[in-house]
Amino acid sequence: MKLGRLNHIGVATPSLEASLAYYRDVMGATLAHEPFDLPAQGVKVCFVDTPGEDGTAGTQIELIEPLGENSPIHGFIAKNPAGGQHHMCYEVPDIHAAKAWFEGLGKKVLGEPRIGAHGTPIFFVHPKDMNGVLTEIMETPKVRRGTENHRSS
């Protein structure tokens, strides 16, 4: 088993609006998708496309804002009031095979696979087992970025 491409970097933020302005005006983001709530995960999400080179797409940034005090992101924002990098997300061809592989290595998988913001199955691996980085593993989307339809609710 090996990880596929880096799909996105998750950035927790206390304000999607302020973060969108930053990525557009300072970092040169080329597209901000429509924000949407993901109540099952307690977050509001907005994907931002970074510029690529030579006609390629850059890496997406997933901006995540807590949907309330019960959000798992709420604690992160409490410790990091300005927000910051929350996780990195890698693609795999088969989410269940990936979960079994990580568990076989003795890595702590956080929960069962569930549907993530791209509409594909995901799970997280504890940062203590991933060189200090919370790592999201997601099944490779059937539709590639640029043509996907991010949900708006």
Side-chain angles (χ1 to χ4, degrees), residues 38-62:
L38 196 57
Q41 294 188 34
V43 295
K44 185 171 194 167
V45 176
C46 184
F47 285 97
V48 177
D49 295 353
T50 63
E53 295 181 1
D54 301 322
T56 63
T59 300
Q60 277 194 322
I61 306 296
E62 178 189 32

Side-chain angles (χ1 to χ4, degrees), residues 107 125-135:
K107 307 297 184 191
V125 184
H126 199 284
K128 288 181 182 174
D129 290 332
M130 299 299 287
N131 213 28
V133 177
L134 178 62
T135 303

